[in-house]
Amino acid sequence: HARSATVVPKELSLSLQKLSGRTCTTSNVPTATLFQMEHQAQLLHFQSTAPTISQQLQHRTIKDYTVAISAHGRKSTWTAAVALVDDLQAQLLELNIITWNALVTACGRAQQWCAALQSLAVAQHRTLEPDVITYSAAITATEEGGCWEEALQLLQDMWRFGPEPDTIACNAVISACEKGQTWEPAMWILERML
């Protein structure tokens, strides 16, 4: 849905432009590749040590899967949460934004901010409309990962395209800026909140 554009101060626009095309990397290996490799390794372990979870969830509802994904989020076992989403799709159950929010949150709680951002991007690609909870979970993940630029970009996306950011999202970005000792964007957000 279209929104009126938010005017961003020039100095912030420049730092936001630096983010375009930026990918999450570790040791010059794209995180998507690391994410896939780690996911495959964890999935193999998950399948060999707990084959009964998929069996237990067979013939269950989307709500059952969402509860299980949330439980993995609380345990910071994000790859098991991803495996459940894969299994859910194999069961041909229709994903909803609540289930996706649980996945983004699980990735964030496990301090996997790149995976949280990738999950957000996949949700958007699947035409699921991310809500404030989705964005707040992704912003919190980037904040905890010390990635103030990514947090600021997500907040900017919310102002541009919706949903309207809430206090939780704004405070998480301010906290990310604080951790990055970048005060100007934090002050700009605080002023905008008032």
Side-chain angles (χ1 to χ4, degrees), residues 109-141:
R109 285 186 177 162
Q111 299 180 347
Q112 298 294 322
W113 65 271
C114 285
L117 293 180
Q118 289 169 348
S119 298
L120 173 63
V122 170
Q124 292 169 323
H125 179 72
R126 291 175 179 254
T127 65
L128 292 171
E129 192 169 324
D131 58 15
V132 174
I133 296 168
T134 320
Y135 275 100
S136 292
I139 288 170
T140 299

Side-chain angles (χ1 to χ4, degrees), residues 119-185:
S119 298
L120 173 63
V122 170
Q124 292 169 323
H125 179 72
R126 291 175 179 254
T127 65
L128 292 171
E129 192 169 324
D131 58 15
V132 174
I133 296 168
T134 320
Y135 275 100
S136 292
I139 288 170
T140 299
T142 58
E143 180 255 333
E144 290 174 2
C147 306
W148 70 269
E149 291 174 316
E150 287 78 4
L152 186 60
Q153 181 62 55
L154 289 170
L155 186 64
Q156 182 66 29
D157 289 349
M158 291 178 79
W159 278 325
R160 284 187 186 149
F161 309 113
E164 188 66 30
D166 62 0
T167 305
I168 294 168
C170 291
N171 284 341
V173 176
I174 291 170
S175 178
C177 291
E178 176 189 6
K179 288 177 181 177
Q181 297 183 350
T182 307
W183 306 110
E184 192 171 341

Side-chain angles (χ1 to χ4, degrees), residues 86-95:
D86 290 345
D87 188 55
L88 188 151
Q89 293 174 100
Q91 298 290 330
L92 301 177
L93 292 173
E94 188 173 329
L95 292 166

